[in-house]
């Protein structure tokens, strides 16, 4: 542990809609929150272009601009926002010990974890090049922009199947690219996909390259791993649905998580199994993964942290 220490009432780990919303509520409750942004200040939305489905922005807004609005609002109420990353934690005693940038120890009465999750990508250069310009990891977020167009989605699990059927309601045709000769999804989801007329399932197929004109996606080059045949599908949108990885590695062994690393919270709560530690946003939500739901749980975490501290301040000892 570092010799440099600081004691705070409320420490928020991670930014994005969950972290910034928690900061707004915590600051207004006079918890004087300190927020460390992580290495990607603003979270996943800073890598998103148009956001059209967040209430309060009737004309839509760019993801980075929206996160800047969140940051400004959090600072307006007194949140101490710092750029830095949490390198280790020790939740075995109170106050909780959190080491930042491997150099400073924060002693926190309450900790709100809002570290989010990262989409898994195929790792193609062209995928990175057209990310936000036809390539997306969220059909619910971006499907609207491809209304009446042909798109492709890669994945074989429940999420991929669900997003494919969602896209089918908006798009003219959906190519579903499945790497093997079978799905990993549940039978119910497979049945739904197979009985959606405008979804074409392409088995034994892998993505070789996202094709574009330098500005937008115009197609996807695919390869059949059984016949070695290559072809280009004419699509204007390419969706990746191969899963997400929660950014919770530093908490392993200290907080209860599911088998994939999502933090488990109490029912109808953001409280973890550790007293005074709360989790919100995509770090604990593997189902919805939307900015609006992340913000909602950020609000919950701050309110619960406030109530927790209030309870500690007003403990009545009975003789």
């Amino acid at each position: 542990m570092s010799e440099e220490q600081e004691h705070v009432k409320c420490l928020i780990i991670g930014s994005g809609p969950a972290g910034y919303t928690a900061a707004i509520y915590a600051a207004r409750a006079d918890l004087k929150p300190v927020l460390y942004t992580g290495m990607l200040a603003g979270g996943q939305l800073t890598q998103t272009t148009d956001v059209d489905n967040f209430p309060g922005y009737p004309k839509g807004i760019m993801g980075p601009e929206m996160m800047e609005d969140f940051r400004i609002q959090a600072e307006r109420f007194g949140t101490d926002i710092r750029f830095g990353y949490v390198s280790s934690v020790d939740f075995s005693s109170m106050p909780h010990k959190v080491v930042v940038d491997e150099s400073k120890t924060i002693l926190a009465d309450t900790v709100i974890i809002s570290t989010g999750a990262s989409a898994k990508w195929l790792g193609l250069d062209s995928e990175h090049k057209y990310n936000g310009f036809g390539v997306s990891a969220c059909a619910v977020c971006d499907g609207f922009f491809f209304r009446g167009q042909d798109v492709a989605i890669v994945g074989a699990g429940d999420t991929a199947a669900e997003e494919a059927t969602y896209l089918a309601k908006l798009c003219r045709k959906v190519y579903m690219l499945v790497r093997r000769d079978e799905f990993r999804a549940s039978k119910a989801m497979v049945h739904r996909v197979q009985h959606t007329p405008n979804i074409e399932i392409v088995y034994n197929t892998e993505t070789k390259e996202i094709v574009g004109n330098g500005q937008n996606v115009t197609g996807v080059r695919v390869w059949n791993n059984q016949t070695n045949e290559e072809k280009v599908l004419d699509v204007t949108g390419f969706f990746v649905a191969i899963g997400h990885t929660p950014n919770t590695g530093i908490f392993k062994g200290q907080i209860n998580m599911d088998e994939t690393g999502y933090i488990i919270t109490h029912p109808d709560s953001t409280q973890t199994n550790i007293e005074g530690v709360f989790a919100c946003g995509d770090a604990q939500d593997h189902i919805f993964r939307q900015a609006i739901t992340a913000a909602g749980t950020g609000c919950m975490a701050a309110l619960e942290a406030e109530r927790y501290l209030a309870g500690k301040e007003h403990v009545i000892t009975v003789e």
Side-chain angles (χ1 to χ4, degrees):
M1 290 289 185
S2 166
E3 293 183 1
E4 184 185 359
Q5 293 188 348
E6 178 184 5
H7 185 222
V8 303
K9 281 186 179 181
C10 180
L11 176 67
I12 301 171
I13 305 175
S15 43
Y20 283 142
T21 301
I24 291 167
Y25 276 80
R28 285 170 57 86
D30 200 30
L31 300 188
K32 298 178 174 56
V34 171
L35 181 151
Y36 278 93
T37 63
M39 299 308 292
L40 182 61
Q44 290 186 80
L45 277 178
T46 60
Q47 299 178 320
T48 303
T49 51
D50 298 297
V51 178
D52 263 358
N53 56 359
F54 199 96
Y57 295 97
K59 296 181 180 179
I61 189 170
M62 300 295 282
E65 184 182 354
M66 186 169 106
M67 285 300 91
E68 181 68 5
D69 287 347
F70 274 52
R71 182 191 65 78
I72 292 171
Q73 189 172 2
E75 285 187 327
R76 173 189 163 203
F77 293 112
T79 303
D80 184 351
I81 297 177
R82 306 172 183 176
F83 180 78
Y85 72 98
V86 170
S87 46
S88 65
V89 300
D90 180 1
F91 294 153
S92 62
S93 60
M94 294 291 287
H96 300 301
K97 298 180 179 67
V98 177
V99 178
V100 178
D101 296 332
E102 301 180 359
S103 61
K104 179 176 182 175
T105 298
I106 304 290
L107 303 177
D109 296 330
T110 57
V111 176
I112 295 176
I113 297 170
S114 55
T115 48
S118 301
K120 294 180 181 178
W121 298 96
L122 299 175
L124 304 172
D125 290 340
S126 54
E127 177 185 51
H128 176 74
K129 178 180 179 179
Y130 290 105
N131 189 3
F133 299 93
V135 173
S136 170
C138 181
V140 175
C141 309
D142 300 325
F144 175 83
F145 301 113
F146 301 91
R147 184 181 294 272
Q149 302 176 42
D150 295 347
V151 301
I153 183 168
V154 58
D158 279 343
T159 297
E162 185 174 353
E163 295 205 340
T165 55
Y166 176 85
L167 289 169
K169 298 175 184 177
L170 301 169
C171 303
R172 183 172 53 190
K173 183 167 187 176
V174 178
Y175 294 99
M176 190 169 187
L177 311 180
V178 179
R179 185 163 56 92
R180 298 186 297 176
D181 59 357
E182 61 181 1
F183 282 86
R184 289 183 292 103
S186 63
K187 289 184 178 179
M189 291 304 300
V190 173
H191 183 269
R192 187 186 302 179
V193 168
Q194 291 175 334
H195 288 79
T196 303
N198 59 333
I199 295 179
E200 180 179 334
I201 305 168
V202 190
Y203 290 106
N204 300 310
T205 297
E206 300 181 35
T207 303
K208 299 287 286 186
E209 180 188 14
I210 312 300
V211 181
N213 57 15
Q215 293 182 317
N216 300 291
V217 170
T218 59
V220 55
R221 187 182 308 279
V222 296
W223 169 65
N224 185 299
N225 54 35
Q226 298 298 306
T227 66
N228 286 324
E229 177 190 0
E230 280 193 18
K231 63 180 178 180
V232 174
L233 302 176
D234 294 326
V235 296
T236 53
F238 182 79
F239 293 85
V240 181
I242 57 175
H244 287 72
T245 302
N247 303 321
T248 58
I250 59 170
F251 309 113
K252 285 184 178 177
Q254 303 205 49
I255 293 183
N256 289 346
M257 303 179 184
D258 67 14
E259 64 278 2
T260 56
Y262 285 94
I263 296 172
I264 297 173
T265 54
H266 294 177
D268 302 318
S269 171
T270 62
Q271 173 68 56
T272 69
N273 63 300
I274 303 296
E275 180 181 348
V277 178
F278 307 87
C280 55
D282 287 11
Q284 55 86 50
D285 172 23
H286 67 281
I287 298 174
F288 299 105
R289 298 194 305 270
Q290 298 298 301
I292 189 67
T293 51
T297 56
C299 164
M300 292 167 59
L303 292 176
E304 289 190 289
E306 177 192 4
R307 291 168 186 167
Y308 169 80
L309 290 172
K312 287 294 183 182
E313 292 171 0
H314 296 87
V315 173
I316 299 175
T317 302
V318 179
E319 296 292 340

